Amino acid sequence: MNYISNEKIEEILSNIDIVEIIDEYVPLRQVGSNYRALCPFHTEKTPSFYVSREKGIYHCFGCGRSGNAIKFLMEYNNITFPEAMAILAEKAGIKLGNGYEASSGENSYRKILEDAQNYFENSLSGNMGGIAVQYIKNRGISDETVKKFHIGYAPAHGLLNYLGKKGWKTKEILKTGLIVKTEGGEIYERFRNRIMFPIYNTIGKVIAFGGRNLGSDLPKYINSPETEYYKKGHLFFGIYQAKNKIKELDEAVVVEGYIDLISLHQNGIENVIAPLGTALTPKQAQLLKRYTSNVILMFDADEAGLKASERGVNVCLKEGLSVYVVLLEKGTDPDDYIKKYGADALKERIGRKVNFLDFKIELLKNKYNFNDIDQMSRALKEIKEIVLLIPDAIKRELWYKRIAEQFEIPIEAVRTEKTKSIKSAMGEKVTKRNELNSIYANILNIINVAHDKQKFFDYIKTYIPFQYLQEHVIGKIIYDIVLSEKMPSINDMIDTLDEKTRDIIYEGVFMENSPDKLLMQSLKVNWKKLLRIKLKEINRRISNALLYNEDVSEYEEKQSEIIHHLQQIKQEE
Ligand SMILES: [Zn+2]
């Protein structure tokens, strides 16, 4: 029988790396997320032969030849389809067997697992009112979901007996990991008194199981051991049920547990997968890339910092995937979240996902004091290590730019990490901050010593937009005062102020006899200074954005707003 099923072909193609295959014949060089070489099928001086690992295809822009790994081998080696398949199957570690049927070993393995799945499913439905059904009900899992995921129940014993009656030999069953042989030669069933979750490969064949305990047996979850036909780091739980949705939505939600996954799925979030008890592996990231380049991870706020440094994130970035984070409140897993707030709320949270690198930048801002050069350098080093994992040079460059903005240092400093350029940038930053501090402190002081305070409240209300005040610590204090039209006593206020501001206020008390007219002038001078600083900042942003061909309309709006305020002051003078 010279027939290879489409399933088999897909399975083999999904277990090989086209870049690795072609690279053996034509040395490839990485360009962005693709690979390039001189075309082996036509003569050329500049390379136009491209290979995409994600898509599993090659294409020559010179001669137009293209195809997958099978076609490449056939064309390059001038061999037949079965010959090419034999090469690929061997590379994939998948047996084609005689006449290209699955080997008898693999066949038995698959069939035993299918029989076991039937047994577990029947045991669950035969367990009506029992502890397993009760557990499933308590977790809110519907009958429909039970059927969809073929959830079952492994009683304390009975599987071995059942499989024996089906004609399977103990030796064959041992290979599946469903039973275990002790050193003393005793045989027992691996899954006892557990809820059973079949694990499918991408084409919907059960190849392993996960089991959750119902009694006091530990650990809470156990999985099938790795076997000749099952490698846990190569697959996701739920990939078969999720793959079409992942493709359609162009994003995959990664959760930790079986129950989380099933709960999300049941509630209409179907593009969800779970790694099988490991951090994400390169193989898993490559598998995912066939369906999408966007991965969403859910973090519990409590352990967010910890998880952000997990290897899995780096693995995804290294494979060129974009990683996003959804932060859930502490102590909450996705299943809890749905039960508490509903599925729509979770969908909404997923919609507001944050890019992992933005998330990491925020973490660094909290962890390090960016006014300290050494700490700033350390933060920069940490974030750059991550950005350097990204294979695409354009993406990396865009992140450098974002980091430069967020760290408020020039992009050159991000690229080179040279202390000198960081230092000069930080110097500017500190000067700017000091200037702003003293301006706001002066304004606060002016209100404090003014006689007719109402006049000053009115001026600020009319001319200084509240959003300006709210951008600054002391500005916020002024905002509260102006809004309530009440000046707190200095003693009430003093604790909330930093030392420098306190000095300015104390000093001000000694000038209490200044006439209001002079104070009003001083208020205007300070307001003008503030606007000039803001104008300088916005001009810098505009020229920066123009450099990158970005939309500057938002900045220009702010620019004309500031100019308008400046003109207002001039007119009054
Ligand atoms: Zn060509």
Side-chain angles (χ1 to χ4, degrees), residues 420-514:
K420 205 177 132 197
S421 45
I422 298 174
K423 255 186 195 161
S424 80
M426 297 236 333
E428 273 172 42
K429 229 178 89 182
V430 170
T431 317
K432 187 184 128 201
R433 206 188 45 244
N434 287 342
E435 271 174 354
L436 281 177
N437 273 350
S438 74
I439 289 171
Y440 281 112
N442 283 337
I443 295 176
L444 181 59
N445 185 33
I446 289 164
I447 311 173
N448 186 38
V449 296
H451 300 280
D452 181 3
K453 293 195 191 332
Q454 190 60 44
K455 219 170 94 192
F456 289 80
F457 295 154
D458 289 344
Y459 181 88
I460 292 171
K461 268 190 204 166
T462 316
Y463 292 110
I464 304 184
F466 280 164
Q467 86 247 25
Y468 282 58
L469 297 176
Q470 279 179 318
E471 283 167 3
H472 195 271
V473 199
I474 307 170
K476 276 185 191 150
I477 297 172
I478 299 169
Y479 172 84
D480 286 338
I481 293 169
V482 171
L483 215 64
S484 65
E485 299 190 343
K486 245 174 72 187
M487 188 71 206
S489 78
I490 295 181
N491 286 336
D492 284 348
M493 201 165 55
I494 222 76
D495 285 342
T496 57
L497 302 174
D498 67 291
E499 212 173 313
K500 272 196 183 138
T501 312
R502 254 182 261 173
D503 286 346
I504 292 177
I505 300 287
Y506 282 138
E507 224 171 279
V509 176
F510 295 111
M511 317 188 305
E512 234 164 339
N513 291 326
S514 312

Side-chain angles (χ1 to χ4, degrees), residues 39 42 60 63:
C39 179
H42 85 280
C60 175
C63 64

Side-chain angles (χ1 to χ4, degrees), residues 38-44 48-49 59-65:
L38 288 169
C39 179
F41 301 118
H42 85 280
T43 317
E44 60 177 5
S48 51
F49 178 81
H59 182 87
C60 175
F61 292 94
C63 64
R65 261 177 240 244

